[in-house]
Amino acid sequence: MALENNPIPSVVANTLIKCYPHGQAGEVNVLNGLDLIIHQGEQVAITGASGSGKSTLLQILAGLERTDSGTVSLLEQSMHQMKDQDLARFRNHHLGFVYQFHHLIDDFTALENVALPARIKGLTTATANDQAIAILTQMGLSDRLSHFPWQLSGGERQRCAIARALINRPKIIFADEPTGNLDQESAQQVSDLMMSLCRSNAATLILVTHNPQLASQTDRQLTLVGGTLQ
């Protein structure tokens, strides 16, 4: 991707420090003065050993967890200065989240699950449903609108989760092992769709994964080691 055409930073993290208590040993530094800049529209993979703090970093960047020190700005908005209510509204309007487990609501159909963020944003039921149908169709799920999560395959559930994450056309997508529970073929289909839709929407994608093949498809690969990115 030509970053000179997208000079505006989407994510800026400065000197992030995050520690957790660790029994008699005191504290463990998960993040140790970490710095990161990601430009709008860029797709970045973060890899690293299990327990290195990848998911913690993603949660902090998304404003879901507070850092001990340091600052995070998303779309030129300071996360640490926002109140919880403002953070929740900001996430609904501008961010999307995809996890290893789909987290769909069992009692909602695929259509209802995907439309939910648009309803929370304030759209009417009819408009939210129209948008949900459109993106589910893009995900190849037009014949699964009335199906409940338990009636969908693993790949279909994850595609539904991605559709839900993208319905509000967020500027930043945070994905934590989005294909970790899928077989190789389904994983490739899901990742291809997710990356393609992010590119078509000019959305930034920040991806945590153990899958080197998936990581290699992004614009930039970073490894979390010793609390910093390499």
Side-chain angles (χ1 to χ4, degrees):
M1 186 187 70
L3 290 183
E4 61 268 19
N5 296 327
N6 297 276
I8 299 172
S10 179
V11 178
V12 178
N14 291 314
T15 58
L16 298 185
I17 294 176
K18 183 66 177 180
C19 303
Y20 290 109
H22 187 65
Q24 299 286 335
E27 291 184 334
V28 172
N29 286 352
V30 179
L31 305 180
N32 191 17
L34 183 144
D35 295 313
L36 177 63
I37 296 177
I38 299 175
H39 292 86
Q40 186 62 38
E42 190 177 11
Q43 297 191 357
V44 176
I46 298 174
T47 63
S50 296
S52 60
K54 301 184 300 299
S55 293
T56 296
L57 172 59
L58 208 66
Q59 296 276 332
I60 288 173
L61 292 177
L64 294 168
E65 187 171 343
R66 300 287 186 177
T67 183
D68 294 333
S69 65
T71 61
V72 175
S73 294
L74 302 181
L75 307 173
E76 302 182 310
Q77 298 291 314
S78 175
M79 294 295 97
H80 72 282
Q81 291 181 345
M82 284 191 193
K83 297 180 179 179
D84 289 343
Q85 184 176 358
D86 295 329
L87 266 174
R89 186 180 302 111
F90 182 87
R91 284 193 293 266
N92 174 253
H93 283 228
H94 301 296
L95 310 182
F97 301 89
V98 184
Y99 298 100
Q100 183 172 354
F101 187 70
H102 55 79
H103 295 297
L104 299 174
I105 299 174
D106 290 337
D107 294 334
F108 282 16
T109 64
L111 176 61
E112 291 167 336
N113 267 287
V114 173
L116 185 59
R119 295 287 310 280
I120 293 172
K121 189 177 181 180
L123 273 62
T124 65
T125 300
T127 301
N129 285 348
D130 286 344
Q131 292 188 6
I133 291 169
I135 194 166
L136 282 165
T137 299
Q138 286 182 283
M139 300 298 289
L141 295 171
S142 59
D143 59 343
R144 297 289 190 268
L145 302 179
S146 61
H147 287 60
F148 293 93
W150 55 272
Q151 295 174 309
L152 303 174
S153 69
E156 289 171 338
R157 286 193 292 267
Q158 201 64 350
R159 278 186 276 159
C160 188
I162 292 170
R164 180 183 57 189
L166 292 172
I167 189 171
N168 284 340
R169 301 182 74 84
K171 293 181 172 63
I172 307 174
I173 300 293
F174 295 92
D176 193 351
E177 295 288 359
T179 62
N181 284 334
L182 303 178
D183 61 76
Q184 185 174 353
E185 182 178 355
S186 296
Q188 190 64 53
Q189 291 175 348
V190 165
S191 63
D192 286 349
L193 282 166
M194 178 177 65
M195 290 179 170
S196 175
L197 284 172
C198 284
R199 291 200 191 283
S200 65
N201 293 338
T204 303
L205 174 63
I206 306 172
L207 170 70
V208 163
T209 183
H210 283 105
N211 185 334
Q213 182 178 354
L214 178 57
S216 69
Q217 296 175 251
T218 62
D219 302 314
R220 182 159 51 120
Q221 298 85 47
L222 301 170
T223 304
L224 186 58
V225 179
T228 60
L229 290 168
Q230 301 178 1

